[in-house]
Amino acid sequence: MSACLVGRRVRYDGGAKPVGGGVGGGVVGRWWDEGRVVVFCPEVSGGLPVPRAPAEIVGGDGADVLDGVARVLTASGEDVSRQFVRGARLALDAARAAGVRVALLKESSPSCGSLRVYDGRFAGTRVPGHGVTTALLRRAGVRVFGEDQVAEAAACLRELELTGSA
């Protein structure tokens, strides 16, 4: 789970975005209490500071960054693709070590977006696509959901448990 979604102040602006009642309530709280939550911030793990300059994917989405076709840039033009890819690889390592099959990540993030990301023009426009970490996790078979999809993530996890795949 994205660290910002459990209340850790790791976002680019130094903030957090707790989801679903945070670790104190709802489905997320139950997962927390059951010890099922692996907390990770790929951007910080990849070497970026908090706070940091906002970054967006230019020239595609997370899969394109992994393939070397697109880049992750700050508004000033600094290329931070290397840190994003490194963080994605470390997130995948953590997921594999914990046997993660379902991930709940921060929507619209250039790392964690699962349905959409910002379009790379720093104008606040979102487009369909996914972040670098989401792309790598999906390539490894992890099912990734955004923070507005807690119910869908829970249903997916239940299905995996019922079929013995979790």
Side-chain angles (χ1 to χ4, degrees):
M1 180 175 290
S2 293
C4 62
L5 297 181
V6 298
R8 295 202 181 150
R9 302 178 71 75
V10 294
R11 288 175 42 86
Y12 74 95
D13 59 2
K17 292 282 184 175
V19 66
V23 296
V27 173
V28 173
R30 181 170 44 85
W31 289 340
W32 183 268
D33 292 343
E34 293 170 352
R36 298 181 127 185
V37 178
V38 175
V39 179
F40 204 88
C41 177
E43 294 174 25
V44 172
S45 294
L48 296 171
V50 177
R52 59 188 166 274
E56 295 186 9
I57 299 172
V58 176
D61 70 2
D64 298 313
V65 173
L66 291 171
D67 295 339
V69 177
R71 298 179 299 153
V72 185
L73 303 177
T74 66
S76 67
E78 178 185 2
D79 189 338
V80 290
S81 303
R82 181 179 52 79
Q83 292 92 331
F84 275 74
V85 171
R86 181 174 189 269
R89 288 183 179 140
L90 292 169
L92 178 57
D93 289 347
R96 283 181 171 154
V100 170
R101 298 292 311 278
V102 175
L104 188 66
L105 304 180
K106 178 70 186 98
E107 192 58 72
S108 303
S109 157
S111 287
C112 300
S114 62
L115 298 173
R116 60 192 167 273
V117 292
Y118 288 96
D119 69 357
R121 295 182 300 161
F122 295 90
T125 304
R126 295 177 207 170
V127 294
H130 43 270
V132 180
T133 297
T134 294
L136 191 60
L137 290 175
R138 284 187 173 154
R139 285 181 180 180
V142 176
R143 295 181 181 167
V144 181
F145 298 88
E147 79 267 19
D148 295 330
Q149 299 177 299
V150 174
E152 291 91 335
C156 179
L157 186 57
R158 276 192 307 276
E159 179 184 326
L160 289 171
E161 290 170 339
L162 288 174
T163 61
S165 302

